[in-house]
Amino acid sequence: MPSPARRPVLYVEDHPVNALLMAAILERRPELELLVATTGEEALCMAAGLHPALLLLDLGLPDCHGSRLLGLLRALPGCESVPAVAVTADINFPVEDWGFCELWPKPLNVDEVLARLDALVGTQPAPAPQLPELIAQPGPRALTSHWR
């Protein structure tokens, strides 16, 4: 189950490398928590009572097509109107005909996925890490103070 402070994103993807890539991308949005299901059946079990912020569905799942799964997910409380994205290599798939709001083509473009996440669920980029004060100090003082 997701942490209460983080909003769940359900990603249904049977290829482990694609799931790892999405996990790495979502690390840049700490307010989101990625939950991965590898089959349609597992996704239905996970989604029950989840109230996800976003659904990300691969189309070529081992037990069903992602478009069929979306129809089944829409019948669950909390998933009726959640934005759903088809994540697929099939760039000609007619997403609007099946209830998806958009298509993210594989291979994923990290910057585009982050921008679309921000637009769809209202996330913000994580602040850049601060450099240690010694490195951040301008001028030679910070670098030469250790040599005196």
Side-chain angles (χ1 to χ4, degrees):
M1 270 325 234
S3 135
R6 298 173 71 196
R7 297 167 56 200
V9 172
L10 179 58
Y11 183 31
V12 189
E13 171 62 66
D14 63 318
H15 196 288
V17 173
N18 292 334
L20 285 171
L21 175 58
M22 190 65 74
I25 292 170
L26 264 71
E27 283 181 8
R28 297 185 181 186
R29 297 300 181 266
E31 65 271 32
L32 299 176
E33 182 168 3
L34 185 66
L35 302 169
V36 178
T38 58
T39 65
E41 182 178 355
E42 185 181 4
L44 289 168
C45 291
M46 289 176 74
L50 184 63
H51 299 279
L54 184 64
L55 297 169
L56 304 173
L57 306 179
D58 181 21
L59 297 181
L61 298 169
D63 60 347
C64 68
H65 192 270
S67 59
R68 177 166 166 16
L69 176 59
L70 181 57
L72 297 170
L73 287 167
R74 291 289 187 220
L76 296 176
C79 291
E80 304 92 342
S81 60
V82 174
V85 175
V87 183
T88 181
D90 181 3
I91 61 169
N92 295 316
F93 179 76
V95 291
E96 300 83 15
D97 295 347
W98 294 97
F100 291 95
C101 63
E102 58 190 55
L103 183 145
W104 294 353
K106 293 177 185 177
L108 295 173
N109 177 302
V110 174
D111 292 331
E112 287 179 19
V113 169
L114 289 168
R116 295 310 306 146
L117 278 170
D118 296 344
L120 288 169
V121 297
T123 53
Q124 297 294 319
Q130 298 296 314
L131 294 174
E133 188 175 316
L134 178 65
I135 296 171
Q137 295 279 336
R141 185 185 74 209
L143 296 176
T144 58
S145 62
H146 290 292
W147 300 104
R148 288 187 187 175

